[in-house]
Amino acid sequence: MGQRYRLFNPHPLSSRPPTKNPISKLKRYMYSTITAGVAGTGFIGPVHVEGLRRLGVRVKGISSATLELAEEARQQLNLEHAYPDIDAMLTDDALDVIHLAVPNVLH
């Protein structure tokens, strides 16, 4: 078992197998109290949405270069709001954090 286990263990120095969900109940509760928005609908935007959801963060909406792109992404990602631009996200008091998933030159 030892040699075979090492081939598939992402942490080969660990003596224990990796846990299925390493997030504790307390952390999951803490994350569930956060409401986020994601700016950017390219490749990395939906990746951020999925990552936030896996942590238990509520993702309220997404913005893009145009409202049409944001609305299309909103429907595909099953979000409740499409923002026309980042300024609209900044004025939404319900958002605790905004992920910038836009090209680096726009940060």
Side-chain angles (χ1 to χ4, degrees):
M1 177 181 142
Q3 189 63 16
R4 182 174 178 200
Y5 177 70
R6 283 190 201 113
L7 291 175
F8 297 105
N9 186 358
H11 306 287
L13 300 177
S14 173
S15 60
R16 295 184 320 166
T19 58
K20 190 171 187 177
N21 186 358
I23 300 172
S24 70
K25 289 181 181 180
L26 176 61
K27 285 183 182 178
R28 186 164 294 280
Y29 169 76
M30 289 171 28
Y31 289 139
S32 70
T33 63
I34 298 171
T35 302
V38 175
T41 57
F43 169 76
I44 204 66
V47 172
H48 278 247
V49 170
E50 178 63 24
L52 289 165
R53 284 179 170 165
R54 288 182 183 199
L55 289 171
V57 174
R58 177 178 168 251
V59 182
K60 181 178 179 186
I62 195 162
S63 72
S64 189
T66 66
L67 184 56
E68 292 79 22
L69 288 173
E71 182 60 34
E72 182 181 331
R74 182 200 68 80
Q75 290 174 358
Q76 289 177 353
L77 297 169
N78 197 24
L79 298 171
E80 62 184 84
H81 197 73
Y83 297 92
D85 54 27
I86 188 113
D87 293 328
M89 292 180 94
L90 291 170
T91 60
D92 188 347
D93 292 333
L95 296 179
D96 298 312
V97 64
I98 298 172
H99 275 233
L100 294 179
V102 296
N104 290 338
V105 296
L106 299 176
H107 286 194

